[in-house]
Short mmCIF file of all heavy atoms in Angstrom, two decimals:
data_model
loop_
_atom_site.label_atom_id
_atom_site.label_comp_id
_atom_site.label_asym_id
_atom_site.label_seq_id
_atom_site.Cartn_x
_atom_site.Cartn_y
_atom_site.Cartn_z
N LEU A 71 -7.10 90.30 176.90
CA LEU A 71 -6.37 89.05 176.71
C LEU A 71 -6.99 88.19 175.61
O LEU A 71 -6.28 87.60 174.80
CB LEU A 71 -6.31 88.26 178.03
CG LEU A 71 -5.43 88.87 179.12
CD1 LEU A 71 -5.57 88.08 180.41
CD2 LEU A 71 -3.99 88.93 178.68
N VAL A 72 -8.31 88.12 175.59
CA VAL A 72 -8.99 87.35 174.55
C VAL A 72 -8.69 87.94 173.17
O VAL A 72 -8.41 87.21 172.21
CB VAL A 72 -10.52 87.28 174.81
CG1 VAL A 72 -11.27 86.74 173.62
CG2 VAL A 72 -10.79 86.44 176.05
N ALA A 73 -8.73 89.26 173.07
CA ALA A 73 -8.42 89.92 171.79
C ALA A 73 -6.98 89.64 171.38
O ALA A 73 -6.69 89.36 170.21
CB ALA A 73 -8.67 91.41 171.88
N GLY A 74 -6.06 89.67 172.33
CA GLY A 74 -4.65 89.39 172.05
C GLY A 74 -4.45 87.97 171.58
O GLY A 74 -3.71 87.71 170.62
N VAL A 75 -5.08 87.01 172.24
CA VAL A 75 -4.98 85.60 171.84
C VAL A 75 -5.57 85.41 170.44
O VAL A 75 -5.01 84.72 169.60
CB VAL A 75 -5.66 84.68 172.87
CG1 VAL A 75 -5.81 83.27 172.34
CG2 VAL A 75 -4.88 84.68 174.18
N GLY A 76 -6.71 86.06 170.19
CA GLY A 76 -7.33 85.96 168.87
C GLY A 76 -6.44 86.52 167.78
O GLY A 76 -6.30 85.93 166.71
N ALA A 77 -5.79 87.65 168.05
CA ALA A 77 -4.87 88.24 167.08
C ALA A 77 -3.67 87.33 166.85
O ALA A 77 -3.22 87.15 165.71
CB ALA A 77 -4.41 89.62 167.55
N PHE A 78 -3.16 86.73 167.91
CA PHE A 78 -2.03 85.82 167.79
C PHE A 78 -2.41 84.61 166.93
O PHE A 78 -1.68 84.22 166.03
CB PHE A 78 -1.56 85.34 169.17
CG PHE A 78 -0.55 84.23 169.10
CD1 PHE A 78 0.77 84.51 168.78
CD2 PHE A 78 -0.91 82.92 169.33
CE1 PHE A 78 1.71 83.49 168.70
CE2 PHE A 78 0.01 81.89 169.25
CZ PHE A 78 1.32 82.18 168.93
N VAL A 79 -3.55 84.01 167.21
CA VAL A 79 -4.00 82.84 166.45
C VAL A 79 -4.21 83.21 164.98
O VAL A 79 -3.81 82.47 164.08
CB VAL A 79 -5.28 82.23 167.07
CG1 VAL A 79 -5.91 81.20 166.16
CG2 VAL A 79 -4.95 81.63 168.43
N ALA A 80 -4.82 84.35 164.72
CA ALA A 80 -5.05 84.78 163.34
C ALA A 80 -3.73 85.01 162.62
O ALA A 80 -3.55 84.58 161.48
CB ALA A 80 -5.90 86.05 163.32
N ALA A 81 -2.77 85.66 163.27
CA ALA A 81 -1.47 85.92 162.66
C ALA A 81 -0.73 84.61 162.41
O ALA A 81 -0.12 84.41 161.37
CB ALA A 81 -0.64 86.84 163.55
#
Side-chain angles (χ1 to χ4, degrees):
L71 290 174
V72 168
V75 169
F78 170 77
V79 169

